[in-house]
Structures are given as C-alpha cells and as structure tokens.
Amino acid sequence: MNNIFIPIKEHSERVPNKNFRLFGNKPLYQHTIDKLSEFNIFVDTDSVHLKNELLKRYTNVQVNMRRKDLVGDKVSVCDIMLDVIQNFNITGNLLQMHVTSPFLNTETINKSFNIIENT
C-alpha cells in the first residue's frame, strides 16, 4: 500500500484556523483525509484535539505528535517529515500532501505513485 504524509498544524500565520475551517459541512482537513481511504496516512500535528479526532474517526491514519522544537511557522516541513519517518515503520513510497488541496483526486495521486514506481 502507498503512503501519504500530511502535516497539519493548529496555527496558521496567514490564514487563521485554516486547516480546521468548515468547508461545507466539515473541516477542511476531513475532506482531504476522507478521499484517501485506500492509502496509509501519516499525519504530523501539534493539536491533541486533532490527534484524538483522527484516531477516533479513521482506521488508516496514524498520528505523530509534533515535537516542541518542530512547532512554528519557520520550521521546515522536511524536518517534520524526517521525524515522522523516524517514528513510524514506513515501507514503500511516501507522498506529501496538504489538507489545503481538497480537490485533488485519488486518480491523480495513484498516477503519481505509478510514475515514481516506474522511474
């Protein structure tokens, strides 16, 4: 199975509450994760509330609580991704997504994985 990495922080510098804003009838992050049921999802977050909600709602999601030194607007997502890789036994390909891409469809994601696997 292919893997998706999604960093979801509670604070947004430019758009307050961006990842948790209601988009239609549910939070933005939920739209994205709902589409990804065929993938293993690894979420990194600084939100205990989000961690609890994800673990209650999804069976294909694992959550990494972000270390204090990786919280902030100036932290590289590469450092966050490395921390997730070190904390989980991730095998196979890993694609990074953002919850701010709710219209990205699984066909496009699968095409991306196929390109990676065939190069």
Side-chain angles (χ1 to χ4, degrees), residues 62-98:
Q62 294 183 55
V63 181
N64 185 61
M65 284 304 298
R66 193 169 298 178
R67 294 187 338 236
K68 298 256 187 253
D69 61 311
L70 295 176
V71 174
D73 296 320
K74 306 296 185 215
V75 176
S76 167
V77 74
C78 294
D79 292 335
I80 294 168
M81 184 182 259
L82 179 60
D83 190 56
V84 167
I85 292 169
Q86 291 172 340
N87 284 303
F88 293 107
N89 183 21
I90 301 173
T91 58
N93 296 316
L94 182 65
L95 179 94
Q96 179 191 343
M97 284 187 58
H98 294 280

Side-chain angles (χ1 to χ4, degrees), residues 48-63:
V48 173
H49 171 73
L50 177 62
K51 174 186 175 181
N52 294 335
E53 185 66 27
L54 292 174
L55 293 176
K56 180 175 66 174
R57 184 179 294 271
Y58 301 99
T59 59
N60 65 321
V61 175
Q62 294 183 55
V63 181

Side-chain angles (χ1 to χ4, degrees), residues 26-42:
K26 55 189 174 182
L28 181 59
Y29 75 84
Q30 197 174 342
H31 285 277
T32 302
I33 293 176
D34 284 349
K35 285 186 176 183
L36 303 173
S37 62
E38 67 186 86
F39 303 101
N40 289 322
I41 302 172
F42 297 90

Side-chain angles (χ1 to χ4, degrees), residues 2-4 39 93-97 104-119:
N2 289 313
N3 306 290
I4 308 284
F39 303 101
N93 296 316
L94 182 65
L95 179 94
Q96 179 191 343
M97 284 187 58
L104 188 63
N105 62 49
T106 56
E107 180 181 316
T108 301
I109 296 167
N110 282 318
K111 283 181 182 179
S112 299
F113 279 122
N114 287 334
I115 290 169
I116 290 169
E117 292 168 1
N118 294 312
T119 55

